[in-house]
Amino acid sequence: MNLRSTIIIAVFCAAIFRVLPASAELFIFPALQNTAPGDPEQLLLSESRTVVIYGSADIEAFRPAIDGFQQSNPEIRVEYHQLQTLEMYHQTLAEHEAGEPNADLVISSSMDLQMKLANDGYAFSHQSDQTRALPNWARWRNEAFAVTQEPAVMAYNRKYFRENNLEPPRTRNDFIRLLNDHDDLLSEKVTTYDIERSGVGFLFLARDERFFSGIWDFVRTLGQAKVKLYSNTSPMLEKIADGQLVLGYNLLGSYAETFSHRNPNLGVILPDDFIVVYSRIAIIPRGARNPELGGRFLDYILSIEGQSILQDEGNFNPVRPDVPPSPFSSLIFDRYGERVRSFPVGPGLLVYLDQAKRQRFLSRWQDALLNRR
């Protein structure tokens, strides 16, 4: 392993001043500029020049942005902690309450949880030319910032559909009809998010309920098809591509589009009725060890260069309007236009965290899956 190689450390070994959930993974990107090994002053300098990021994005999708940042900031070491969104939220709160240092930047796909942290006073204010370049919907009080735009998509196994003369669904009603008409071919072969464990999965379904009156019939149909539930997109895509599963709903479009380039057997569908588009939100926590470095990394991924890298390498559609769109981004926002259902960054997201409403929604989800009326 050469010096530039990313070092992956099991979390229980991460006596790097914080205890993280067992499911977290730590990826270390050494500074490009070497420091003298064993020199105590250099070791201290290394710690002070480390930016710590908590993120829900898969490392392979986010790695190009880290590489680009370090090309511009070769003296800075990067720690990327990949966590589930709920774990990230609770970890940030726990560190704050214990008086321990937080990450320097937290980037989560659970927009509601990020918004709650900002709204409850856990985020630093940050202003720069890059944040001012964002559209108004993408920032709130200079504390919470959208860094991507990503659609929820359907995905299917091309080979299985072709061999069984099945037509992939184009709308949610198509999806229901397909499951009802071909239970023999699709039972136990359909997948979606477990909304009780996935923050973004909950957001997607809550948004569906607002714009699709048949959503609970949809969920009942998923239950009848013995749907397989997962807390993140990657295993769903892998199982659809290799044929263990053959149809998925509300998967992250950024991952699905990237995965389909490597796996031609995976088909990706943007629903014709409407597309739910969410954003990853970044905040700089008040307890950050190096908030200046957190701000520097945030500015990089909001810059034209950073947004272009996120788009070109990870299919994370840009937030800035002055970044030339990719074909995938153009397809979503130009072709579908008025059928896009986005989440503006702001206190409106907190409605999804109202505990009474949330519990009613989860109870209805459980009843629909079990086909209880």
Side-chain angles (χ1 to χ4, degrees):
M1 180 179 288
N2 60 37
L3 183 64
R4 182 61 198 126
S5 297
T6 307
I7 304 170
I8 306 175
I9 302 180
V11 171
F12 63 82
C13 295
I16 309 181
F17 315 111
R18 56 182 62 82
V19 178
L20 291 167
S23 63
E25 290 182 274
L26 169 60
F27 302 88
I28 294 180
F29 294 76
L32 298 182
Q33 287 183 351
N34 296 342
T35 56
D39 184 336
E41 289 186 9
Q42 292 295 336
L43 192 59
L44 213 61
L45 179 63
S46 171
E47 181 184 327
S48 69
R49 305 307 289 170
T50 295
V51 58
V52 178
I53 302 167
Y54 290 173
S56 57
D58 288 355
I59 185 60
E60 291 309 316
F62 201 67
R63 184 192 303 269
I66 295 175
D67 290 341
F69 172 78
Q70 288 192 303
Q71 289 295 327
S72 301
N73 300 270
E75 77 286 2
I76 297 178
R77 177 177 176 270
V78 177
E79 284 184 19
Y80 185 77
H81 299 261
Q82 185 176 314
L83 298 101
Q84 296 287 339
T85 56
L86 289 171
E87 293 173 339
M88 195 184 317
Y89 171 76
H90 290 301
Q91 182 71 22
T92 302
L93 286 180
E95 289 171 345
H96 183 88
E97 295 304 320
E100 298 173 356
N102 280 136
D104 303 312
L105 190 65
V106 177
I107 310 172
S108 174
S109 54
S110 281
M111 299 180 72
D112 49 354
L113 295 177
Q114 287 290 82
M115 197 59 230
K116 181 166 175 57
L117 287 173
N119 191 64
D120 290 352
Y122 291 101
F124 274 122
S125 177
H126 176 73
Q127 297 184 60
S128 67
D129 290 343
Q130 308 305 336
T131 63
R132 283 186 285 270
L134 293 176
N136 289 335
W137 69 263
R139 65 177 185 270
W140 180 77
R141 221 165 59 181
N142 296 310
E143 294 175 11
F145 308 92
V147 299
T148 66
Q149 295 188 84
E150 300 174 55
V153 302
M154 304 174 190
Y156 68 102
N157 182 289
R158 293 179 185 275
K159 180 180 178 183
Y160 189 85
F161 270 65
R162 184 173 59 251
E163 290 177 347
N164 289 280
N165 295 314
L166 297 175
E167 189 70 26
R170 304 304 312 182
T171 68
R172 288 158 180 83
N173 281 322
D174 286 348
F175 204 114
I176 293 173
R177 282 192 293 271
L178 182 68
L179 295 188
N180 285 334
D181 293 346
H182 299 284
D183 179 69
D184 56 327
L185 294 174
L186 297 174
S187 181
E188 298 188 69
K189 291 185 175 294
V190 183
T191 186
T192 192
Y193 274 113
D194 182 347
I195 70 167
E196 297 180 66
R197 296 167 54 210
S198 166
V200 71
F202 182 95
L203 277 180
F204 281 161
L205 198 72
R207 200 66 166 170
D208 281 343
E209 185 191 38
R210 179 175 175 184
F211 294 104
F212 179 46
S213 61
I215 188 59
W216 297 113
D217 288 333
F218 188 106
V219 176
R220 274 187 284 274
T221 305
L222 290 176
Q224 291 166 352
K226 300 178 183 178
V227 63
K228 305 299 183 183
L229 303 177
Y230 293 85
S231 59
N232 56 66
T233 289
S234 293
M236 291 190 273
L237 292 173
E238 290 167 3
K239 290 179 184 297
I240 292 170
D242 68 19
Q244 295 180 58
L245 300 169
V246 298
L247 184 61
Y249 179 70
N250 266 359
L251 310 189
L252 292 185
S254 53
Y255 293 170
E257 183 69 8
T258 300
F259 201 88
S260 70
H261 293 167
R262 301 192 304 266
N263 298 268
N265 201 34
L266 183 79
V268 178
I269 302 166
L270 290 164
D272 280 342
D273 42 1
F274 64 90
I275 301 174
V276 174
V277 173
Y278 85 106
S279 297
R280 296 175 193 272
I281 292 182
I283 66 167
I284 303 171
R286 281 199 174 273
R289 181 188 300 272
N290 289 309
E292 181 270 330
L293 293 186
R296 191 186 299 189
F297 194 94
L298 175 61
D299 284 346
Y300 177 76
I301 59 175
L302 290 180
S303 69
I304 290 177
E305 178 182 330
Q307 290 271 286
S308 297
I309 287 176
L310 286 172
Q311 175 176 238
D312 296 343
E313 302 295 333
N315 281 304
F316 296 118
N317 301 305
V319 178
R320 288 181 58 149
D322 53 352
V323 174
S326 68
F328 185 51
S329 182
S330 293
L331 180 63
I332 297 165
F333 297 101
D334 294 342
R335 175 178 170 183
Y336 287 87
E338 294 180 356
R339 286 175 284 173
V340 170
R341 305 289 183 262
S342 299
F343 295 88
V345 177
L349 288 162
L350 299 180
V351 68
Y352 301 108
L353 293 175
D354 180 285
Q355 288 306 302
K357 292 179 180 178
R358 190 178 186 91
Q359 191 52 52
R360 284 197 298 270
F361 193 87
L362 290 175
S363 294
R364 195 164 186 186
W365 158 262
Q366 293 161 357
D367 289 345
L369 281 181
L370 294 174
N371 287 286
R372 294 194 297 243
R373 294 283 177 173

